[in-house]
Amino acid sequence: MTVHVSAPAARRALVALGLAVAITLVVAGCDSRAESTSAPPPPDVGVAPVLVEPVRDWSDATGRIAAVESVELRPRVSGYVQRVAYAEGDEVAKGDLLFVIDPRPYRAALQRAEAELARARADAQLATTRHTRAQQLIDASAISRDDFEARSAGRAEAEAAVRGAQAAVETARLDLAFTEVRAPVAGRAGRAMLTTGNLAQADTSLLTTVVSQDPVHVYFETDERTFLRHQAMTRDGARANGRNAVRVGLADETGHPHAGTVDFLDNQVDPATGTVRARAVLPNPDRRFTPGLFARVQLEGASQREAVLIDDKAVITDQDRKYVYVVGDDNTAQRRDIVPGRVVDGLRVVESGLATGDRVIVNGVQKVFMPGMPVSPQPVAMRGGQPVEAVAGR
């Protein structure tokens, strides 16, 4: 018996058969890929236990570098500048010649004063001789008392004239010496404000400035709490000579690499700002500090406290939040939000969020994609992130 199948029915049968074959192939391919693909091993990460060590708090402030000695050099005598005897910007020693004011008028004045002194001494010698002769004559009653007293007065007047002439010579000698303007302190000399040929007015014209170089001062403002801590240290003798230590960093430096001490606190707190002005002294043998530079200052606190410390590389930023990954007993990475503090000796203080015994991922944090992810912890040192064996073998 012949069965006739219509063309539309045949096409539907063929389509159904094709779909069935395709589904079978897809299922077979998925099964084969699932069988051929295995789960990746947990990533290796460097893990270190948190450090709990005593740290000392430091208070932050901003300040300015200033010279210990700063001099505006002005002439003591008037005259035309004959020579500028230094190179602008160079360091000078105390007593070095910087400017020469035309000395000729003052040299002539000194010679004139010396001549006046010589004449006064001659007059005084003559008056003394006359007084001696008058003494002999009065003893012999050869002159009157009035003549004797006149000669005595003449001798006293001549002696006073000598002293006046001597003072005039000293003044003229000083004026001549002042034509050589010398550095009153050792330091760096600034720009010459008057050059050769210009008129310098005594006590008025600014010639140049000289600022000392080593040591230097840094002035900064501290709040009332910091001021009270400093006073407590001074009373309790917590530091040698009752001086706080300070650490200073410049604008192009990381951290606070320069050490100094506080040597001055103002005698009152500014009631408008609630701050007190302080000053620290810093050595400057390599001339790193220049007066006027901005400085970041940290002032040492009065007491120590136990703090949790971690490597800064372990800290991750999530918008306005900070967190780290800690490894639990099941070797999975768990997120732990923290409140970070300041950096102490290269490690970050954690104010809250971690406790003693927590193991923090220091190396390979970028390998952790989500909390709860399995990891393969490898022990490392918290300082430097090196393997524990390498640190122990140093």
Side-chain angles (χ1 to χ4, degrees):
M1 181 177 64
T2 302
V3 178
H4 296 281
V5 180
S6 64
R11 284 196 295 272
R12 287 195 297 272
L14 288 174
V15 171
L17 179 61
L19 289 173
V21 172
I23 292 173
T24 302
L25 291 176
V26 170
V27 172
C30 292
D31 291 342
S32 63
R33 285 196 300 271
E35 291 174 0
S36 62
T37 304
S38 60
D44 292 338
V45 293
V47 177
V50 299
L51 297 180
V52 180
E53 296 180 353
V55 299
R56 188 174 298 278
D57 288 324
W58 295 75
S59 301
D60 291 317
T62 58
R64 289 283 177 183
I65 303 298
V68 173
E69 295 179 297
S70 179
V71 179
E72 290 186 343
L73 209 57
R74 302 180 189 274
R76 297 189 180 187
V77 294
S78 297
Y80 289 92
V81 177
Q82 188 179 73
R83 181 163 64 98
V84 178
Y86 75 103
E88 296 173 311
D90 279 359
E91 286 198 32
V92 295
K94 182 178 181 179
D96 281 356
L97 181 64
L98 302 183
F99 292 86
V100 177
I101 296 174
D102 188 1
R104 291 173 296 178
Y106 297 98
R107 189 177 293 116
L110 175 60
Q111 292 171 352
R112 183 167 58 251
E114 289 174 339
E116 290 293 333
L117 176 60
R119 186 176 64 179
R121 284 173 174 169
D123 291 344
Q125 184 176 3
L126 178 60
T128 300
T129 301
R130 288 178 175 178
H131 177 268
T132 302
R133 187 179 300 115
Q135 183 69 51
Q136 295 172 352
L137 294 174
I138 194 66
D139 292 340
S141 300
I143 60 173
S144 66
R145 176 61 61 179
D146 289 341
D147 290 340
F148 174 75
E149 292 178 352
R151 292 185 183 185
S152 297
R155 185 187 68 167
E157 183 178 354
E159 290 175 348
V162 169
R163 291 193 295 271
Q166 287 176 334
V169 168
E170 291 298 323
T171 300
R173 187 173 288 121
L174 280 175
D175 288 343
L176 180 60
F178 289 153
T179 60
E180 294 184 346
V181 182
R182 299 181 177 274
V185 297
R188 189 178 301 279
R191 179 170 67 93
M193 306 303 293
L194 291 180
T195 54
T196 302
N198 285 287
L199 177 62
Q201 296 288 348
D203 303 324
T204 302
S205 301
L206 176 62
L207 298 177
T208 189
T209 58
V210 180
V211 293
S212 62
Q213 296 293 298
D214 185 23
V216 295
H217 285 151
V218 55
Y219 287 89
F220 58 98
E221 307 287 336
T222 64
D223 57 30
E224 294 183 18
R225 290 188 178 183
T226 304
F227 171 68
L228 293 174
R229 285 201 299 267
H230 177 85
Q231 283 192 321
M233 288 180 61
T234 304
R235 287 194 304 267
D236 300 339
R239 294 291 179 273
N241 301 323
R243 292 185 174 184
N244 286 71
V246 295
R247 301 187 299 202
V248 176
L250 299 179
D252 64 340
E253 294 176 329
T254 301
H256 303 78
H258 308 285
T261 55
V262 174
D263 70 336
F264 166 75
L265 278 175
D266 209 346
N267 57 2
Q268 60 182 342
V269 176
D270 186 347
T273 61
T275 60
V276 60
R277 191 166 182 79
R279 185 183 71 196
V281 60
L282 304 171
N284 189 32
D286 57 355
R287 305 303 188 259
R288 175 63 174 158
F289 300 107
T290 299
L293 284 177
F294 168 81
R296 294 175 289 104
V297 183
Q298 283 189 337
L299 180 64
E300 185 180 22
S303 60
Q304 288 185 333
R305 63 184 177 92
E306 295 291 325
V308 174
L309 302 172
I310 63 172
D311 195 315
D312 219 15
K313 296 192 302 292
V315 181
I316 306 171
T317 301
D318 181 11
Q319 294 182 355
D320 61 341
R321 306 180 71 177
K322 303 287 185 180
Y323 69 93
V324 298
Y325 280 114
V326 299
V327 177
D329 295 336
D330 56 353
N331 287 344
T332 60
Q334 302 296 331
R335 171 170 169 164
R336 192 75 61 80
D337 290 342
I338 64 170
V339 177
R342 67 180 71 252
V343 174
V344 177
D345 296 333
L347 296 179
R348 177 71 63 179
V349 174
V350 178
E351 301 295 347
S352 64
L354 293 176
T356 304
D358 285 340
R359 296 186 301 161
V360 178
I361 297 179
V362 177
N363 297 335
V365 177
Q366 68 277 5
K367 300 176 184 179
V368 181
F369 301 109
M370 64 182 67
M373 177 179 172
V375 294
S376 176
Q378 306 297 321
V380 297
M382 184 59 78
R383 281 189 171 89
Q386 297 184 18
V388 174
E389 294 78 6
V391 175
R394 272 197 265 178

